Amino acid sequence: MLLTMKKLFTSAAAIVLILFNTFAYSQTNTTSPEMSPEKAAFYTGSYPNLFTELLGRTPSEVEAKINSAFDQLFYGDDESQRVYYPVGKDMAYIKDINNNDVRTEGMSYGMMIAVQMDKKEEFNRLWKWTKTYMQHSEGQRDGYFSWHCNTDGSVIDSNSAADGEAWFVTALLLASGRWGDGSGILNYNAEAQYILDAMLSKTDSSDSPHVVTNMFNKREYLIVFVPVGHADDFTDPSYQVPHFYELWARLDNDNNQFWADGVKASRSLLKKAAHPKTGLSPDYSHFDGTPFEGWNNGAENFRFDAWRVAMNVAMDHVWFAPGEWHIRECNKLLKFFYDQGIENYGNQFTLDGEPLSATDQDHSTGLVAMNAVAALASTHDYRKEFVKQLWEIPVPEGHYRYYDGMLYMLGLLQVSGNFRVYK
């Protein structure tokens, strides 16, 4: 039975690889938010560009804007603009300016941005720094990453923040598809497989702070918050990236059915976690989607992690169009923020919509970017206003440019149709 299933998955993977090889990197055609699964970008290679479709910007204008933002965030002024810092002749890191450290979140985002923009040198530099200083190569944590380090590479915390691993795997798989595999640590597919194997090869679950556990709860098929102790008893809605798991289900060498089940579980969690009226999700949740209290004061509310849920829902819709819920959710979410005032809504709320931050001063670029991405799955006429906000807001500078800047850059790529599957 297992052998038969493995043969089926192998055959399915071969068919998918043929589909992948039809993809091209070019300016995108527009796609209706109300598309059916067979017309989703994964199958057609056609990605919507809302800057051209809704704002009338030319492809050359869009390309220039993206390149300008990349140049500033990666090669701008050392003190006020850049977040990407080369080290020696072949490494680099993405720096969290506010906290003066390096995080797997930022490194994986930087690698994803690099592969989407065909920046192979920057990708390889970031990956070598990550591999050298952040990834464990032995013991319980073998294959996992220390979630943050000092800029000299010394480890601050050896535990893992599970979203970093998810983005590393997907960035490596896309790099393998776009550029092919090299040798050693530049065999991108082999490196991705190593992490995928590690995610499911630890202890199933434990409340001991000294026992490292699986990155995904095997009963729930859901990614955990941190794979150790009580931190593996809950999740983070913004860690739910079912469109990534769809790729893993096709491209992993071994655990295809688990990832396929994980796709379903992740989409279900996103639905359960979103407030029925506002569409807002909490920073952390139980595996049944109810808000999780007791860690990181206020994590039961819509805060900084939860900004990214809109991106994940919308990109799942663009890549795979799994159902009408994604459209309804993005419509609901954008209506909430539109009603708050399109130009000055705050950045933190209770799930039922009570503000927890001031307007104007707390109108954050990162949240503006994520809401613009939600427009990819929205059918509201005023989705154009959210896209316009992203187009007009400046590239983040200054002390808080790291998180806002990474989300801004991802938002530009996604809204412009340049966040693609490569194989």
Side-chain angles (χ1 to χ4, degrees), residues 30-101:
T30 60
T31 307
S32 167
E34 298 181 6
M35 59 192 174
S36 55
E38 67 272 11
K39 295 181 180 179
F42 175 83
Y43 302 104
T44 66
S46 179
Y47 294 77
N49 182 342
L50 298 189
F51 292 133
T52 58
E53 179 182 346
L54 299 181
L55 304 186
R57 298 292 177 174
T58 65
S60 59
E61 286 179 306
V62 175
E63 182 180 6
K65 187 171 188 68
I66 293 171
N67 288 337
S68 177
F70 178 86
D71 289 343
Q72 178 172 316
L73 288 167
F74 277 63
Y75 294 104
D77 180 77
D78 282 2
E79 298 301 321
S80 64
Q81 293 183 320
R82 77 187 310 170
V83 296
Y84 170 89
Y85 294 87
V87 177
K89 64 180 181 180
D90 60 357
M91 290 196 284
Y93 57 79
I94 300 289
K95 183 179 179 181
D96 180 338
I97 308 300
N98 180 52
N99 292 292
N100 192 34
D101 63 14

Side-chain angles (χ1 to χ4, degrees), residues 83 94-98 105-106 109 163 238 283 303-308 311 364-367 370 396 399-410:
V83 296
I94 300 289
K95 183 179 179 181
D96 180 338
I97 308 300
N98 180 52
E105 169 193 75
Y109 287 174
D163 62 329
S238 75
D283 265 17
R303 300 179 72 226
F304 306 107
D305 273 21
W307 294 358
R308 303 173 296 192
M311 167 178 67
S364 299
T365 303
L367 181 54
M370 297 296 91
H399 191 66
Y400 297 105
R401 66 186 181 272
Y402 157 71
Y403 191 57
D404 277 333
M406 290 288 95
L407 297 188
Y408 174 85
M409 196 70 230
L410 289 171

Side-chain angles (χ1 to χ4, degrees), residues 1 12 27 37 46 48 59 88 92 127 139 186 228 230 269 271 279 324 331-332 360 374 378-379 385 410:
M1 178 66 176
Q27 276 298 329
S46 179
W127 175 235
L186 301 184
V228 67
H230 290 291
L269 186 283
K271 293 177 184 179
E324 292 295 317
N331 280 340
K332 191 180 298 180
D360 296 328
S378 173
T379 54
E385 300 301 316
L410 289 171

Side-chain angles (χ1 to χ4, degrees), residues 11 26 59 85 126 135 153 174 184 202 218 311 315 325 332 398:
S11 299
S26 61
Y85 294 87
L126 290 169
Q135 190 173 36
L174 297 184
K202 316 299 184 188
K218 286 191 174 182
M311 167 178 67
M315 290 311 302
W325 177 83
K332 191 180 298 180

Side-chain angles (χ1 to χ4, degrees), residues 2 34 76 102 146 161 166-167 250-251 342 346 350 382 399 410 420:
L2 290 175
E34 298 181 6
V102 181
S146 298
W167 282 73
R250 293 159 168 81
L251 299 177
I342 187 72
T350 63
Y382 50 70
H399 191 66
L410 289 171
R420 300 178 168 219

